[in-house]
Amino acid sequence: MRDLGVGFQYLLKGQRWVARHGKQYGFGLVPGLITLVLYAAALVALALWGEDAVTWATPFADDWSSPWLGLFRGFLTAVLFALALLLAVVTFTAVTLLVGQPFYENLSEKVDRDVSPDGHAPESGLPLWRELWISARDSLRIVVRAALWGVLLFACGFIPVVGQTAVPVLGFFVTGFFLTEELTAVALQRRGVDLRTRLGLLRSRKTLVWGFGTPLAVAFLVPVVAVFLMPGAVAGATLMARELLGEEIREGGSAVEGDGGVSSLPQPPSGSPSPGR
């Protein structure tokens, strides 16, 4: 349970880091604002024409008598909008990171240099188009996983009592896990860590991930809040990625572990291979 608090500390440390680096924070806001405008336009369009779409998709119900026709299509419209909101929350981070790949790569590298004992930031050595392709491919895989969880949780929501109590809480933990994966991917991809290895790292420290991602998932329910927290979330996720890989974090001129203790983690030999893609 201690890892829950450590994960939340990384979230706060990331926000503090961008607060001290105003220029990086300003650049980090741009992708979120662009994505917010796109998502807002899509949700407004769905609110305006969602009922028409449901009517077109259910011609078999045209002859139903009142009030069943209105109740049925009204329910489907509400379900459609609820699923769209869930998908927006789950995919907002992935789309924002894809739109802002150069911004967040630069921010993450600066965080690495700032906290690394030798001032070094790992680099992927790949061209930008290749990094964008890998990011888009991995994000799509995560979105599919998240969507499957979303459908399962939505179905469980109809279970009496449990559906109205435990399922929403579980939903925030699931969303927090996937948000953390997307955010740590910025730093981990630069280190050549592929998606399967990243998921293995996160699953090995679930409580750490939940401590970081679950509060963020709750905050990201408000898209405007997500925009302003995103730069700090990337910075905090970079710090947490270093913890997951056993890398030292320099604070106040000394090399320490992410949770504030003196690092005693063994470092890999200089000749050992890094995880492949």
Side-chain angles (χ1 to χ4, degrees):
M1 296 300 291
R2 174 175 172 274
D3 264 357
L4 281 174
V6 175
F8 186 65
Q9 286 177 20
Y10 279 124
L11 181 59
L12 297 180
K13 287 178 181 179
Q15 302 302 324
R16 287 198 296 266
W17 191 93
V18 295
R20 296 194 306 268
H21 300 77
K23 184 177 180 180
Q24 293 300 316
Y25 180 66
F27 281 121
L29 291 177
V30 175
L33 290 171
I34 295 173
T35 308
L36 178 63
V37 170
L38 295 175
Y39 271 58
L43 290 174
V44 168
L46 183 62
L48 292 175
W49 294 294
E51 187 174 355
D52 293 338
V54 169
T55 300
W56 172 82
T58 57
F60 58 86
D62 287 343
D63 298 328
W64 288 15
S65 61
S66 180
W68 305 115
L69 176 61
L71 289 174
F72 175 68
R73 285 179 171 166
F75 173 74
L76 289 183
T77 302
V79 168
L80 178 63
F81 196 78
L83 287 175
L85 283 175
L86 176 63
L87 189 62
V89 171
V90 171
T91 62
F92 184 86
T93 302
V95 174
T96 302
L97 289 173
L98 187 60
V99 170
Q101 180 80 7
F103 295 89
Y104 295 133
E105 283 283 351
N106 182 263
L107 189 154
S108 180
E109 286 183 17
K110 288 186 180 300
V111 172
D112 266 324
R113 290 193 185 99
D114 190 44
V115 302
S116 175
D118 59 3
H120 172 72
E123 297 180 2
S124 67
L126 298 174
L128 178 60
W129 71 267
R130 178 64 176 169
E131 290 182 348
L132 288 173
W133 163 249
I134 293 172
S135 179
R137 180 196 64 192
D138 290 350
S139 293
L140 180 59
R141 292 175 178 174
I142 291 299
V143 167
V144 170
R145 285 178 167 89
L148 292 175
W149 270 99
V151 172
L152 176 61
L153 291 172
F154 181 79
C156 292
F158 291 98
I159 301 175
V161 182
V162 174
Q164 292 74 50
T165 54
V167 170
V169 174
L170 180 60
F172 281 119
F173 278 93
V174 171
T175 304
F177 181 90
F178 287 120
L179 282 177
T180 304
E181 195 289 324
E182 289 288 352
L183 290 165
T184 54
V186 177
L188 293 176
Q189 279 182 194
R190 280 192 291 107
R191 291 161 166 81
V193 183
D194 61 19
L195 177 60
R196 179 172 297 187
T197 306
R198 293 202 303 268
L199 290 173
L201 283 171
L202 295 175
R203 288 168 182 153
S204 69
R205 302 284 298 277
K206 288 190 183 73
T207 51
L208 178 72
V209 172
W210 289 334
F212 181 90
T214 304
L216 202 58
V218 175
F220 275 21
L221 287 176
V222 183
V224 176
V225 174
V227 171
F228 289 99
L229 290 182
M230 181 65 82
V234 173
T238 301
L239 296 174
M240 194 168 72
R242 296 182 69 90
E243 159 112 356
L244 290 169
L245 294 175
E247 299 176 359
E248 293 179 331
I249 298 176
R250 180 172 57 85
E251 295 181 357
S254 60
V256 299
E257 276 187 281
D259 60 2
V262 178
S263 177
S264 60
L265 292 172
Q267 300 301 310
S270 59
S272 62
S274 60
R277 293 194 180 277

